[in-house]
Amino acid sequence: MRKLTLAAILAAVPLFALAEGEAIAVDTELGMTEEAVTTALTGMGYEVRKIEMEDGMIEAYAVKGDEMLEVYVSPETGKVTKMGED
């Protein structure tokens, strides 16, 4: 039971390690579910406007001030695989 609890805590650390103001880039770990990605982005000061599964990826659209963010996250790794292109 202790191993499971420790594993759960260690898995959550990367989500909270990203402080508000830290830049998001490819390979940034945000989480493996839509809820985890939303929590990570919100914790970084973003307002998540839309999040959905598309083509096997978690696609999130978020805003912080004048910055608009579009990220694609792998549900297998929880990492950003691509930044949006307008």
Side-chain angles (χ1 to χ4, degrees):
M1 184 69 154
R2 282 185 171 173
K3 288 181 182 179
L4 181 60
T5 303
L6 181 58
I9 292 169
L10 290 176
V13 169
L15 295 178
F16 300 108
L18 295 172
E20 187 171 332
E22 188 170 328
I24 296 176
V26 171
D27 286 335
T28 299
E29 190 167 332
L30 295 179
M32 296 189 289
T33 65
E34 291 178 27
E35 293 81 16
V37 172
T38 299
T39 299
L41 291 172
T42 302
M44 296 173 72
Y46 287 93
E47 177 188 339
V48 178
R49 297 280 176 94
K50 181 178 176 183
I51 189 163
E52 64 185 357
M53 289 294 294
E54 186 171 307
D55 298 327
M57 303 295 283
I58 300 169
E59 184 177 0
Y61 297 88
V63 176
K64 178 166 65 171
D66 293 334
E67 179 186 0
M68 294 178 66
L69 177 71
E70 179 182 359
V71 293
Y72 298 85
V73 180
S74 167
E76 288 83 28
T77 65
K79 294 184 178 182
V80 174
T81 59
K82 178 179 162 185
M83 302 292 289
E85 301 166 0
D86 291 333

